[in-house]
Amino acid sequence: MSQFTASNIRQKYWSSIHPRYSERFHWNKYRFATPFLKKILFDEYPSEIILPFLKESRLGKQNKHGEIEDEGSYGKVFAFEILDEYFAIPGFAGVRRFARKELHPDTSYEQFTHEYRNLLKVGQLQDDHIVKLVKAYRHGDCYNLVFPCAKTNLRLYLRQPQFHPAPRVSNVIWHPLWHRMLALARALHKVLHFESPTSTREPSFFGYHLDLKPANILVEESDDLVLTDFGQATFKQVVGSTSSKVAGRGGTEAYAPPKIDDKEARQSRRYDIWSFGGILLEACGFAVGGCEGVLHLDQLRSKKHPDNNSTDDRFFRRKNSNSYELKPEIKEWIELLPQALEGQERNFLNEVLSLALQMLHVDVSLRLTSKDVCIRFSEIIDRFQSDPQNGPGSIGFDAQSPRSGREIGKERMKDIPFLGYNIHGFWKSGPVRFVQDHTGLRVETLEGQTWKGSSLNDVSTIRLVPRYAFYDRNPHYYSDAHLYFYPPGQHKGKFSADNDRDIHLLQEILLGQEVRFSSNLKIAQARLKDRLTFSETFHRRRGSNLANQRHELEFRASSIQLWIDSSHRDIRDIITPTRPSVKYMPRSLRTTPFPSRIVIFYEQSILVVRIHKNVRISPSARVTESAAFLELIPTDKRRGASFPVSVFKTEPREVLPSLPLTRDKFELEEMDNSKECCCLTLEFHSTAQARSFHQHYKKIKRTWLEDLHKFEKLKGQIGPVLGYGQS
């Protein structure tokens, strides 16, 4: 419409016609010049313009007089259709009905922009269970947001019988609401741990919905659940953050966690976990008792204040000034609800209610994370629905070998029967195996009775990011996965485990490096310089300045590990001191022991130190009750004033550094990233950690020196046979 201004009409289009006619056209153009909707992005329309909307009706709950009331305080909601001839926004083909959220006229531009930008951001997640913005515009004085129209919201769906004409499900275990709630939990997890699904190069964010409640969950015609209303939501970039908490009180009090009354409190992402736990309780009540079960729970948690006659419908109550607890009526309801069931149905419901209670923990530090919720909820559903005694769908474990390729770490993977994984964009748990064939690496998971694979790139191009090792275990940082692959084209390959043993074992299987010791670390100060070539070394001895090219590494470290190379376990034809047969030419021949390494994880780099003769822990290392320092120095400065180390940096535009999966490439990058280190000072968090590291280091180095001696003897035995070492 901007091209039809009064002056433009008069000068460009109707310059030969009397000015009175152009002015009349200008003032009446809105009656017939309807805008064409072809993009999501924000547009402004004058109040006089007629939009291409048809069959518009008001949405909301009805009061006792039959009048429509708004669900929230933001404004009004209307359902309508759009004329096909005026609609060409991509991604909504086949959608007939739309919903328009009209904000109050006094809504500020900042308030509207906040929600609008949040909707654009969550739209990047491309999740079917997160609402999709169709159009944003201003019509006169009112801001509007348009979405696909849903059947209802979860608050009404759980409480009004007209949405459930079919009889109740005979077996609670197979109620369809469980899988819908699980899909909603996965969608919420994506919001709280925001990453663009198309590329790892986009920054990660902490996400906070802060107004999760049944009225803000849409129910589509298929009965699928959709997370909506991001007006209170906040996103905070992970990189550079020192805390995952944000200021803000959140939305509806009924589903808010304890300390909502504290105006100074900063909220964490577990705010939304509490809200989801309350909604899961309502789902349990519905699965057992239908709408009556949910309404009964509403009555139990609603209490009138005698002082001001207001209603308290929170899930918790205050015990004293600094203490909270779940309302006793809700605790009793949770205990009594499973008694309406028998056998496995009762066991199943008890586990789901126990999961909800872990989300409703009044101590925020003990509340589950969204990843834990997804994994445990999925595990409960899969375990009970896979039991043939519980109803349809006999699901068994199919232990057949892969159709093609070699299974990596087959025997060791049996020690990790259940692993948290995110292969298809959501978290699950169960058996996982890794298969390598001519096409590359394949991750297979057990789905029902069969193994289903997801192909990755060629193994030589895949790298592993041990995210768990970079940050403290009390993480305010992003903690979605313990290990993940890079580059994961479609975010395939994230893994998580409940304990350090499983994490270290999985890392060993993928990298071929056994973790013998692992500990948090406070400081690792390295004095580095470029490693010199043979000719440069000669010049250095003659007084060249080449030796003065020093480099600084990060100061604060996250963790330290001791590795033993275990990649040779899968190699059959290899000559070692314990297998010196030379009947046939070996595929792999080493003249030195397989390396052992000290690995230090910083925030932006990984420092790798190979254990060898010219590295030792200084005898003057300070390990006292008040200090826990160790120092790595050259064993004999007459042999060399420094020892070699390798520094792995982050890949282009990747947040954390990574390591190659293949041993050959890992060793090659060790050489390419090699530096010289004069001194490496380590400060541990406790003297116990420092002593433990020292003991493990001495044992590993002693074993390595013994192997080195054996290899040196072996060289003399096999040298003449292979044609070298003869005079």
Side-chain angles (χ1 to χ4, degrees), residues 402-589:
R403 295 180 180 178
S404 63
R406 177 179 65 89
E407 189 172 345
I408 299 173
K410 180 178 181 180
E411 294 302 318
R412 282 167 285 167
M413 282 300 296
K414 292 180 180 179
D415 294 330
I416 316 177
F418 284 90
L419 186 68
Y421 60 85
N422 186 340
I423 306 296
H424 304 292
F426 51 83
W427 281 98
K428 291 192 67 175
S429 66
V432 178
R433 66 187 185 188
F434 302 91
V435 181
Q436 183 179 350
D437 58 18
H438 67 283
T439 62
L441 183 66
R442 190 168 69 250
V443 183
E444 295 187 352
T445 57
L446 190 64
E447 305 290 342
Q449 301 183 33
T450 59
W451 290 94
K452 293 186 178 180
S454 181
S455 297
L456 302 176
N457 299 329
D458 177 57
V459 69
S460 63
T461 66
I462 302 174
R463 307 179 70 86
L464 185 72
V465 180
R467 175 182 277 165
Y468 76 95
F470 287 98
Y471 302 126
D472 294 335
R473 286 303 180 86
N474 183 19
H476 56 258
Y477 289 98
Y478 190 82
S479 57
D480 182 26
H482 291 132
L483 299 162
Y484 69 83
F485 290 134
Y486 172 85
Q490 293 79 33
H491 274 233
K492 297 175 181 177
K494 292 182 179 181
F495 305 97
S496 178
D498 292 332
N499 56 76
D500 290 346
R501 185 196 71 86
D502 288 351
I503 297 171
H504 294 156
L505 181 55
L506 179 61
Q507 177 178 301
E508 176 194 347
I509 292 168
L510 295 172
L511 290 180
Q513 306 292 331
E514 180 184 353
V515 180
R516 287 289 181 89
F517 173 85
S518 182
S519 170
N520 292 340
L521 194 62
K522 185 181 292 184
I523 292 173
Q525 187 174 11
R527 293 167 56 191
L528 303 180
K529 57 186 177 180
D530 285 332
R531 192 172 188 185
L532 305 181
T533 64
F534 178 80
S535 62
E536 290 171 339
T537 303
F538 175 77
H539 288 296
R540 178 176 65 178
R541 289 174 180 170
R542 298 183 61 182
S544 169
N545 291 328
L546 289 170
N548 296 324
Q549 298 176 2
R550 298 184 180 274
H551 298 271
E552 292 295 329
L553 198 61
E554 299 167 70
F555 188 74
R556 181 182 178 275
S558 298
S559 61
I560 186 169
Q561 295 181 352
L562 288 170
W563 289 2
I564 302 291
D565 192 309
S566 61
S567 58
H568 60 282
R569 292 177 181 174
D570 293 327
I571 303 175
R572 295 180 180 177
D573 299 335
I574 182 169
I575 290 179
T576 68
T578 58
R579 193 180 352 173
S581 172
V582 292
K583 185 176 181 180
Y584 301 103
M585 179 64 71
R587 285 199 305 249
S588 180
L589 173 65

Side-chain angles (χ1 to χ4, degrees), residues 18 44 110 301 357 487 537:
H18 196 281
E44 290 197 60
E110 289 74 19
R301 79 171 202 257
L357 282 174
T537 303

